[in-house]
Amino acid sequence: MQPTLFTHLTLATMVPSSTPYGLTPDAAIAVRDGRIAWCGIAQNMPDEYATWARADMGGRLVTPALLDCHTHVVHGGDRSLEFSQRLEGKSYEEIARSGGGILSTLTATRNESEATLLASALPRVDQLIAEGVAVIEVKSGYGLDRDTEIKMLRVARQIGGARPVQIRTSFLGAHAVPPEWKDRSDAYIDEVCIPTLRAAHAEGLVDAVDGFCEGIAFSPEQIRRVFDAAHALGLPVKLHAEQLSNLGGACLAAEFGALSADHLEYLDENGVRAMAAAGTVAVILPGAFYTLHETSAPPVELFRKHGVPMAIATDCNPGSSPTSSLLLTMNMACTLFRLTPEEALAGATRHAAQALGLADCGMVAKGMRADFAVWDIKHPRELAYRIGFNPLFKRIFGGSGWN
Ligand code: DI6
Ligand code: FE
């Protein structure tokens, strides 16, 4: 692709600065080889870019492309029955303990082929892309046996070939105890989860290692063994922590220098301090809070107080968060958790990139990937303001997609 100068735009760089959103009016962005060569106020542009082919953005607002840093988009079946059951008064934990929940998705996922799993994931991916998302994290965790976990991760990688989007995979073998290992969760961790992690890593399928630390899933001691194995392979970790109760998962994650701890509805200040010291991002998932009628909100005020970066993600999954709208999720983060619209956008850009360990995404700045979103709005706070409305004009992915 020839070098391109994007002109006639207002830029929200999302680079931390004294200007909210890094807002730059009358801006231009010079893109070469899929990277940002220069951006700033058009008047200050160095002469060398003046002769480049131009793409006129019509005065629109440009932000970094969004990143969805926590999803389970690859899964079989659906859980609409469970949705009805919860409305009749059954809790998520009751449904899980009676063999529904994650285990029902497990059966469906085991039974589907790679092609079928890919075909059902793509519409979810397409909705995210249509909202300006350029990076999607995809977890395994609905197979819980060697073949199906690897199948899920292969499908996740295939998404990156089928669509113009960057995929980051997380191995989530410690998501639930599969029925054939009931009451033998320690053996499951040692004999299935960890060996499968090693096999998946050997195939190049794993970018990070995740777990679910919870009464209905795995203890901190069991997660520690998985994290030890991850570190031995040189893989970063993240953790579903403090979603339904406080087992000290975030402290454990911080001890391992985790990229992120996710959910965090039941986190206390001690855990927030540990995350701050470790540089662990708090990924908040309002879709799950909303769907499960949760009443305990993540400690947003404490994250601010201790300087823990907050990311926002859909948690797109068939049970606790059946959404593939990151814009709606940003709105929920503001209304349910009182994030500011600027925090919500940072949560779906800069901080989401940090939660994935990506240093070249999530901001519009020199040297970054040329992934940005062009919106039909006047001010970036509008992204979190509307409910179920998508103002995307164009998504630029690696410098392509504007014409
Ligand atoms: N917490 C979640 O929100 C997802 N996994 C987890 O540990 C969803 C799990 C599900 O209900 O399918
Ligand atoms: Fe999740």
Side-chain angles (χ1 to χ4, degrees), residues 72 79 92 102 142 175 212 240 243 263 288 315 317-320:
H72 309 251
R79 303 243 291 276
Y92 182 68
I102 293 173
Y142 288 125
H175 193 195
F212 187 20
H240 288 67
Q243 180 184 3
H263 284 287
D315 195 14
N317 77 69
S320 65

Side-chain angles (χ1 to χ4, degrees), residues 81-82 85 90-104 179 182 216:
L81 174 64
E82 200 177 294
Q85 289 172 333
K90 279 202 180 162
S91 76
Y92 182 68
E93 279 180 278
E94 275 167 352
I95 292 167
R97 289 189 190 282
S98 65
I102 293 173
L103 294 187
S104 86
K182 191 169 183 298
I216 55 170

